[in-house]
Amino acid sequence: MSAVEAKLAELGLTLPAVVPPLAAYQPAVQSGPYVYTAGQLPMVDGKLPVTGKVGAEVTAEEAKELARVCALNALAAVKSVAGDLDRVARVVKVVGFVASASDFTGQPGVLNGASELLGEVLGDKGVHARSAVGVAVLPLDAPVEVEIQVELTAS
């Protein structure tokens, strides 16, 4: 077990299977020392636990937890390409999309769920730049979607 996966276990988390693509793309690709993930939905056992807009059908706190799930799914996608999460030198960038009710402006707080998980799991390597974007709708009516970019150490 890698040190990162041991940390996940210490936090009571397990790395899920990679979420299969919903269309014509790969869950993650590597280019040089970087891995870029596709947008990860908060899928759990192949389905969305909650759907709808944040600030309407979904609370900001529920969405923050869903963003954590997205980040965990993104780590699984990174591992599928890197082979070992201990190769993560640092998370470079996180981009999150929040399906938002028209008056909802708390996107940064929702995305803290993903950022905080990456920090808990990876420590200083999890500190990153980030964008939090409110959108009208996401695939499958998901409340949140997260993609990450990581730099790897040499294998």
Side-chain angles (χ1 to χ4, degrees), residues 4 75 78-79 82 84-91 122 125-126 150-153:
V4 172
L75 288 174
V78 169
K79 182 183 178 190
D84 184 347
L85 289 176
D86 287 349
R87 291 190 57 211
V88 173
R90 79 167 305 158
V91 177
L122 298 167
K125 295 177 183 179
V150 303
E151 181 180 5
L152 301 177
T153 60

Side-chain angles (χ1 to χ4, degrees), residues 16-123:
V18 177
V19 176
L22 299 175
Y25 62 88
Q26 294 296 310
V29 296
Q30 183 173 351
S31 180
Y34 298 98
V35 174
Y36 302 83
T37 71
Q40 300 293 311
L41 300 178
M43 302 292 263
V44 177
D45 297 326
K47 60 185 177 183
L48 290 172
V50 178
T51 59
K53 306 284 183 289
V54 181
E57 302 88 3
V58 180
T59 68
E61 196 55 42
E62 287 173 316
K64 183 177 178 181
E65 287 302 313
L66 294 171
R68 288 177 65 85
V69 173
C70 292
L72 195 59
N73 288 341
L75 288 174
V78 169
K79 182 183 178 190
S80 75
V81 171
D84 184 347
L85 289 176
D86 287 349
R87 291 190 57 211
V88 173
R90 79 167 305 158
V91 177
V92 177
K93 177 90 186 237
V94 172
V95 178
F97 304 93
V98 180
S100 303
S102 62
D103 61 345
F104 182 74
T105 60
Q107 293 83 6
V110 168
L111 268 294
N112 280 347
S115 295
E116 291 167 3
L117 177 98
L118 294 169
E120 291 168 17
V121 172
L122 298 167

